[in-house]
Amino acid sequence: FGSSFWIFAGGPAMRRIQSCALRRVGGRRYVATAGGVEPIRRFFKNVTVKEFPETGQAEILLDNRVLKTPAKKPLIMPTMTMAAAVAREWESVGDYIAPHKMPLMTLATTTIDVIDEDPAATVGRVMAYLGSDSVCIREGRDGELYDAVLIGKQQATEDEEWDVPLGWFEKQFDVKLAISRSLAIEKHSEADTEKVAEWVRSLSLWSLASLEVSTANCKSLVLGACLLDGDLPVEKIRYLAMLEEELQQNDWGMAEGDHDVSKAQMEMWLGASRLFHKIATQG
């Protein structure tokens, strides 16, 4: 497909996930903006899924041609369910292929081309978010509440909102995370950090892809983990991830075509990450 790829790769500047051209800088993969990628016309008519009965794995064929990853590796998925979900994205393609509307394809190719290449590096990128997790860094102001925003008929505060996923996370992993209310960020204990890292390392490569995408979007490993294994709706997790922006919009209003688009994009990626993880763990 020329220079058009579906890849997510971590990096310190990565804050939002986009489908675009893959480049290398200093030997490291990263994601560039999608604006420079030429549109690709749909070049296929039929999409089929082929199962390997001996392993239960499956691949996708476009007009009987095997679909491969950007690195030209076979796009072989662990189950028919996952392959069928990715195939549906290809079936929905219109006149032009739109990678930014194919998040499951992005997750699948990222797993094979990036995460499988160096799982430990992915674990490191994910764990880096815990030290400055947005859920743990809160407004100080001598203990005063940051602000209030209406949710239905009730007003909620930063503490009230973020304490919900934080409480789930601490119970889930039997940890107690440090809350920072000043410019000096409090450090989590080494023992608690290792408990979380042990869980991250235990994930399959496919679920690890989901966790990295959700964590990078939310700038929070707490919310990323909650998305995968908690029961908060995707819309709520997106709201919690953008809480500070929500509070500002409460004061200044929403810029249509900017804030509303970013919300929709984040919810798409979070929803895809949760679905991908569910398929990876339940088949």
Side-chain angles (χ1 to χ4, degrees):
F1 309 121
S3 62
S4 293
F5 299 105
W6 290 260
I7 283 290
F8 164 76
M14 187 63 192
R15 293 305 182 197
R16 293 290 184 269
I17 313 305
Q18 293 176 303
S19 303
C20 47
L22 175 66
R23 307 182 200 170
R24 282 186 178 271
V25 174
R28 296 191 64 183
R29 289 176 174 169
Y30 80 107
V31 177
T33 60
V37 179
E38 291 293 327
I40 304 174
R41 280 191 173 275
R42 177 169 177 151
F43 56 87
F44 58 92
K45 292 183 179 180
N46 301 311
V47 182
T48 55
V49 178
K50 176 184 175 182
E51 184 179 18
F52 300 100
E54 62 277 11
T55 63
Q57 296 174 312
E59 64 182 3
I60 298 172
L61 290 82
L62 305 179
D63 291 341
N64 297 318
R65 289 177 291 184
V66 175
L67 185 60
K68 294 186 178 181
T69 71
K72 305 302 181 183
K73 298 178 182 178
L75 185 62
I76 297 177
M77 283 158 279
T79 64
M80 275 287 290
T81 303
M82 183 179 291
V86 175
R88 281 193 290 273
E89 289 188 338
W90 284 97
E91 289 171 342
S92 67
V93 169
D95 292 335
Y96 290 90
I97 298 172
H100 63 284
K101 295 181 180 179
M102 303 173 73
L104 297 178
M105 177 65 180
T106 302
L107 286 160
T109 56
T110 296
T111 301
I112 295 171
D113 283 353
V114 178
I115 295 179
D116 187 42
E117 188 177 279
D118 193 349
T122 306
V123 171
R125 291 193 299 269
V126 169
M127 287 302 301
Y129 282 93
L130 188 63
S132 57
D133 200 290
S134 60
V135 168
C136 297
I137 300 178
R138 307 187 182 183
E139 177 68 17
R141 256 193 250 175
D142 298 323
E144 293 180 5
L145 300 179
Y146 176 82
D147 202 340
V149 62
L150 286 173
I151 300 179
K153 295 182 179 180
Q154 295 183 345
Q155 286 188 323
T157 66
E158 204 174 61
D159 285 342
E160 290 171 336
E161 290 287 0
W162 279 338
D163 277 352
V164 174
L166 179 62
W168 173 89
F169 188 90
E170 291 181 333
K171 182 178 180 180
Q172 181 79 357
F173 300 108
D174 188 26
V175 298
K176 186 65 177 178
L177 299 185
I179 303 298
S180 301
R181 296 185 182 276
S182 67
L183 294 178
I185 299 178
E186 299 287 338
K187 291 185 177 181
H188 310 307
S189 73
E190 291 184 5
D192 285 347
T193 299
E194 178 55 30
K195 286 182 181 179
V196 178
E198 184 177 353
W199 169 72
V200 176
R201 290 192 293 266
S202 75
L203 295 173
S204 71
L205 299 179
W206 310 94
S207 290
L208 189 54
S210 293
L211 181 62
E212 181 170 23
V213 169
S214 57
T215 298
N217 265 278
C218 295
K219 298 188 283 293
S220 167
L221 179 51
V222 170
L223 293 177
C226 189
L227 179 85
L228 263 61
D229 291 339
D231 56 8
L232 286 178
V234 167
E235 295 80 6
K236 182 66 174 182
I237 292 177
R238 193 282 309 158
Y239 170 82
L240 293 170
M242 300 178 71
L243 184 57
E244 291 186 356
E245 294 177 47
E246 293 283 353
L247 295 173
Q248 292 173 5
Q249 290 169 25
N250 189 52
D251 290 333
W252 304 101
M254 177 188 295
E256 292 186 12
D258 182 9
H259 295 147
D260 52 341
V261 171
S262 64
K263 289 179 181 180
Q265 289 178 339
M266 182 182 286
E267 288 183 10
M268 180 194 73
W269 282 106
L270 295 182
S273 296
R274 172 171 279 179
L275 175 60
F276 198 73
H277 170 64
K278 182 178 180 180
I279 294 173
T281 54
Q282 299 179 9

